[in-house]
Amino acid sequence: MLASPRCGARTRSDRSCRAPAVHGKLRCRMHGGAAGSGAPRGNRNARKHGLFTKKGIAEKKQVRDLLDEARRLLRELT
């Protein structure tokens, strides 16, 4: 156990991970050596939520314009 290769990942405290690497890999089971670990293919973590899509931006602009027009009308009435 003491002679096994160590994981090359850096921890949050900027130290090396002391866990043994998975057989045939450079990382331990917690840092990507295990099967199925790591980020999904195609970076599905960065998918858009719709807030900054062209359609979402156009919709927000329409709402803003409508509110501006309503405020203008209220100012004219008072």
Side-chain angles (χ1 to χ4, degrees), residues 20-45:
V22 174
H23 183 70
K25 305 223 176 168
L26 298 175
R27 300 287 185 245
C28 67
R29 63 186 174 83
M30 295 168 281
H31 290 115
S37 64
R41 295 260 179 217
N43 196 7
R44 287 182 286 169
N45 291 332

Side-chain angles (χ1 to χ4, degrees), residues 46-65:
R47 280 191 179 161
K48 288 193 179 277
H49 44 70
L51 190 60
F52 299 108
T53 59
K54 287 182 183 181
K55 185 178 177 182
I57 292 169
E59 187 176 327
K60 284 187 283 185
K61 184 180 181 333
Q62 285 178 339
V63 169
R64 193 177 326 116
D65 291 343

